[in-house]
Amino acid sequence: MPKTIRYTLLSLRDLVVSAGPFILLAVTLLALAYWWLDPNPPKRVTLATGPAQSAYDEFGKRYAKALAAEGIEVVLHPSEGSAANLKLLREGKVDLGFVQGGSNDYSEEDEEKLASLGSLFVEPVWLFYREESARQATPTGTLSALTQLQGLRINVGTPGSGVPRLMNRLFESNHIDPASLQLSRLAQTPATVAFLGGELDAIVFASAPESLMVQMLLQTPGVKLMNFAQSEAYSRRFSFLSPVRLPRGMVDLAGNVPPEDVRLVAPTTALITRTTTHPALLQLFAQAGNQIHGKAGWFKHAREYPNIENNELPIAKEAERAIKNDSPLLQRYLPFWVANLIERMWLVMGIIIAVLLPLSRIVPPLYAFRVRSRIFRWYGQLRSIEVRSETEDCGALLRELNQLDSRVEKVSVPLSYTDELYALRNNIHLVRKKLLRAETATD
């Protein structure tokens, strides 16, 4: 091996050995920080949606597609609806779920274990009725108040959907005894089939307009959508309700569907999560929500949703940042897992660097001590030979000195320390001359 390379490798070896404790400490601190922060999210998460062909089901598929691009598998958990989703969240069987405002009462324990990722969209209360059946209550066959429903066969959905509880509160506010109504609690699809078959006079469900059922019923001949003439009053009585308006021709401009503006009341739906869900997943869901729900729609302007208003649970910090701000700078140029790792580790890395910088000053002295110790450790033996020259046989000491010189010749040090190695060899030569003089004087 060429001497230049040999000396270079020797210097690197000494440097690595000298910096070993420092490097080990740095790696240990980084490993502990990684374990404590747990920056990378799990690759699988469960989302509670709703019945088949519902808006929750459709939005769940969109979230699954959005997170799949980041390598996260979203397992969709069908359910009866909002109330069932909240129950699943409370039991820890899902990580996130769509929950409708006003359909549940939250306890103090819920506020500790659950958090909201923001209001995503409004879910108008769609009360479809058969025009033929409505003529029993009014000659025009048009309904505009809940009090006109008495005597009709109405489906209010399954208890798990949250709609029965919502409708009971609306009936109560109108002094309607539910016993005076012919209520049924069928799931959305069988209820729609029964409604279209004439077995039901009216059907109620709360859903976003993206629901296929909603769009189909809005265009079904002989089916009308009830106009909540008192929508503003409902919103003043119930904080979780908002008055919304379905503009004339919004469903079909050419067919003029609906033929006139329809006033509706709408609770707001939020994406609820358990507080134990990984923060990076919450950030991904919140960012996906901006893309999925941020466009203009039937009842909203662009960027109106998601928002942090009308939430019955505390807003997760990750969701609040995602809703108020654009994507973080690093995520625009780096893969999510890399950007997320840097974002969550940078503060701790800064602290570790602040701690290690002062400690790094001991590496050069350690390096110098290690290299120079190879040279200085021979001075003790050299000094011993010199002292013993006054009392012992100089011939034996010369042989011992020659052995010392032979060993020193094999010592290798970086080129920057060769001056000290040559100084040692020069001192050996001086002691040899002293021993030779003493031997000559004895002879």
Side-chain angles (χ1 to χ4, degrees), residues 216-274:
M216 182 269 291
L217 290 173
L218 284 171
Q219 302 180 66
T220 300
V223 174
K224 284 189 173 183
L225 176 63
M226 189 177 113
N227 177 47
F228 282 78
Q230 300 169 310
S231 60
E232 192 68 38
Y234 280 114
S235 68
R236 301 290 178 87
R237 282 177 170 266
F238 302 102
S239 60
F240 56 85
L241 290 178
S242 301
V244 295
R245 182 173 59 89
L246 182 63
R248 172 184 175 183
M250 186 69 198
V251 180
D252 184 356
L253 287 172
N256 194 33
V257 179
E260 58 186 14
D261 289 0
V262 181
R263 285 170 288 182
L264 303 170
V265 292
T268 302
T269 291
L271 184 58
I272 306 301
T273 180
R274 294 180 60 81

Side-chain angles (χ1 to χ4, degrees), residues 118-395:
S119 299
L120 304 182
F121 51 89
V122 292
E123 286 193 284
V125 177
W126 306 93
L127 199 160
F128 292 100
Y129 61 91
R130 296 172 59 84
E131 185 176 5
E132 180 182 350
S133 301
R135 294 187 188 280
Q136 301 175 17
T138 173
T140 62
T142 300
L143 304 180
S144 58
L146 293 179
T147 53
Q148 297 173 317
L149 295 174
Q150 298 188 57
L152 299 183
R153 299 166 297 175
I154 309 167
N155 186 79
V156 292
T158 60
S161 67
V163 177
R165 185 176 185 279
L166 172 61
M167 291 305 298
N168 282 338
R169 298 177 74 172
L170 297 185
F171 289 147
E172 183 180 350
S173 67
N174 282 274
H175 307 293
I176 300 174
D177 184 0
S180 67
L181 304 172
Q182 301 181 48
L183 300 179
S184 61
R185 290 178 170 79
L186 299 175
Q188 191 175 102
T189 300
T192 304
V193 173
F195 175 67
L196 295 176
E199 299 174 22
L200 293 172
D201 300 313
I203 182 172
V204 184
F205 48 85
S207 178
E210 285 82 356
S211 169
L212 296 179
M213 291 292 187
V214 170
Q215 300 193 29
M216 182 269 291
L217 290 173
L218 284 171
Q219 302 180 66
T220 300
V223 174
K224 284 189 173 183
L225 176 63
M226 189 177 113
N227 177 47
F228 282 78
Q230 300 169 310
S231 60
E232 192 68 38
Y234 280 114
S235 68
R236 301 290 178 87
R237 282 177 170 266
F238 302 102
S239 60
F240 56 85
L241 290 178
S242 301
V244 295
R245 182 173 59 89
L246 182 63
R248 172 184 175 183
M250 186 69 198
V251 180
D252 184 356
L253 287 172
N256 194 33
V257 179
E260 58 186 14
D261 289 0
V262 181
R263 285 170 288 182
L264 303 170
V265 292
T268 302
T269 291
L271 184 58
I272 306 301
T273 180
R274 294 180 60 81
T275 52
T276 54
T277 304
H278 197 285
L281 287 176
L282 302 185
Q283 185 182 34
L284 277 177
F285 270 93
Q287 290 174 354
N290 289 337
Q291 300 298 320
I292 295 171
H293 306 289
K295 299 177 183 178
W298 287 12
F299 303 105
K300 62 180 180 178
H301 300 290
R303 297 296 296 171
E304 184 177 354
Y305 289 90
N307 61 50
I308 59 175
E309 300 173 1
N310 300 324
N311 283 275
E312 299 171 284
L313 288 170
I315 299 291
K317 294 180 180 179
E318 291 77 10
E320 186 172 0
R321 284 196 296 267
I323 291 172
K324 290 184 177 181
N325 306 308
D326 293 330
S327 298
L329 179 65
L330 291 177
Q331 290 187 27
R332 301 176 197 173
Y333 304 101
L334 298 173
F336 173 79
W337 71 271
V338 177
N340 176 70
L341 179 64
I342 296 174
E343 288 170 5
R344 298 190 181 281
M345 291 286 289
W346 71 267
L347 180 58
V348 174
M349 290 177 67
I351 295 174
I352 292 175
I353 291 173
V355 172
L356 292 180
L357 273 178
L359 295 178
S360 66
R361 296 178 181 177
I362 69 174
V363 174
L366 281 176
Y367 174 74
F369 173 78
R370 175 179 172 78
V371 175
R372 299 178 71 182
S373 64
R374 293 189 207 147
I375 300 171
F376 292 161
R377 67 190 183 94
W378 299 107
Y379 275 102
Q381 188 175 349
L382 180 62
R383 178 60 178 166
S384 174
I385 293 173
E386 184 180 14
V387 171
R388 284 183 290 143
S389 64
E390 299 178 359
T391 59
E392 296 183 16
D393 179 39
C394 291

Side-chain angles (χ1 to χ4, degrees), residues 57-73:
D57 180 54
E58 175 62 27
F59 286 133
K61 293 175 182 177
R62 296 185 189 180
Y63 275 99
K65 182 178 180 181
L67 267 72
E70 303 295 346
I72 306 297
E73 179 188 3

